């Protein structure tokens, strides 16, 4: 059974760095072809893909946020860590981690999602 | 502004057929990247509904289908039921942005 769960602070101040952890089970990030992404959703708005890390430690970032975000993994702990620097109130959102399936030429979709964690940016 | 364009809302009566469009461009859907669909109930995480344009994960009824043509795709729902009331998102890959992109979401109301 595949599960993912996000954890981290519910409230951060402007200019601070956000660190979120995704703890998963039912699969291994050491297995060829496994990928995990972070996605966010501001209240009442659409989904936005943020970052991805692959089984071979390849990392990919949203072009609009790549100067502020970092993704890393600890495969032995079944965890993926996401950081975003210089947080702003517009970054208030529910942050999800999700397992990403890939096939063909850059064909990707998300088959399992965590429950999400709401992060509010406010002083 | 989302890269993929969806209508903000659609509605239909129980038993009817509705479609939700997802319009992209030559760097995503038109470039041959597949479209995937997610259903999101209020306060919950999105759930995979359709992958690879028209494939349903186990447990998703065949009332849901997802044809794709040119730079657009559609989610078709037949035999509308009250439990279908939710937000629906399309997703693809964009070669110019070099990343996954989502639609703005469509709220389906069952009248």
């Amino acid at each position: 059974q595949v599960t993912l769960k996000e954890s981290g602070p519910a409230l951060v101040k402007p200019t601070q760095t956000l660190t979120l952890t995704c703890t998963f089970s039912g699969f291994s990030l050491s297995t060829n072809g496994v990928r995990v992404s972070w996605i966010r959703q501001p209240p009442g708005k659409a989904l936005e893909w943020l970052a991805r890390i692959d089984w071979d430690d390849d990392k990919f970032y949203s072009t609009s946020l790549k100067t502020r975000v970092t993704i890393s993994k600890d495969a032995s702990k079944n965890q993926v860590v996401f950081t975003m620097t210089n947080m702003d109130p517009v970054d208030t959102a529910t942050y999800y981690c999700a397992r990403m399936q890939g096939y063909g030429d850059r064909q990707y979709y998300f088959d399992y999602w965590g429950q999400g964690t709401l992060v509010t940016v406010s002083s | 502004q989302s890269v993929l364009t969806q209508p903000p809302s659609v509605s239909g009566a129980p038993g009817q057929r509705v479609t939700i469009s997802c319009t992209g461009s030559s760097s995503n859907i038109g470039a041959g990247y597949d479209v995937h669909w997610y259903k999101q109930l209020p306060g919950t995480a999105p759930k995979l509904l359709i992958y690879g344009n028209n494939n349903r994960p186990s447990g998703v009824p065949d009332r849901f289908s997802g044809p794709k043509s040119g730079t657009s795709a559609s989610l078709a729902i037949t035999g509308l039921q009250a439990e279908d009331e939710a937000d629906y998102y399309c997703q693809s890959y964009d070669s110019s942005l070099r990343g996954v992109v989502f639609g703005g979401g469509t709220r389906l109301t069952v009248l």
Side-chain angles (χ1 to χ4, degrees), chain A:
Chain A
Q1 182 191 1
V2 173
T3 65
L4 303 97
K5 188 172 183 179
E6 306 84 354
S7 58
L11 179 67
V12 298
K13 290 180 167 44
T15 75
Q16 285 187 336
T17 294
L18 169 69
T19 299
L20 297 173
T21 300
C22 174
T23 303
F24 55 87
S25 63
F27 66 95
S28 171
L29 247 182
S30 300
T31 302
N32 196 314
V34 176
R35 304 170 177 86
V36 172
S37 275
W38 283 90
I39 298 142
R40 71 178 178 180
Q41 184 175 36
K45 296 190 177 180
L47 300 162
E48 178 185 16
W49 174 76
L50 303 174
R52 161 190 145 201
I53 190 163
D54 295 356
W55 74 99
D56 57 2
D57 213 35
D58 266 352
K59 299 161 189 173
F60 301 84
Y61 300 106
S62 163
T63 52
S64 62
L65 291 168
K66 63 180 179 182
T67 60
R68 297 176 53 207
V69 300
T70 305
I71 193 170
S72 62
K73 67 179 174 67
D74 186 333
S76 65
K77 292 183 179 178
N78 281 355
Q79 290 182 332
V80 172
V81 176
F82 173 81
T83 63
M84 181 179 286
T85 61
N86 194 24
M87 292 293 283
D88 184 273
V90 299
D91 296 313
T92 293
T94 296
Y95 287 75
Y96 297 100
C97 62
R99 191 176 78 168
M100 191 180 200
Q101 291 288 356
Y103 63 96
D105 176 25
R106 289 171 291 179
Q107 307 282 12
Y108 303 111
Y109 63 92
F110 306 101
D111 60 348
Y112 290 94
W113 297 64
Q115 65 190 25
T117 185
L118 175 62
V119 177
T120 301
V121 185
S122 174
S123 54

Side-chain angles (χ1 to χ4, degrees), chain B residues 47-58:
Chain B
K47 178 183 174 184
L48 180 65
L49 191 66
I50 296 279
Y51 67 96
N53 300 323
N54 203 17
N55 299 289
R56 287 173 283 106
S58 172

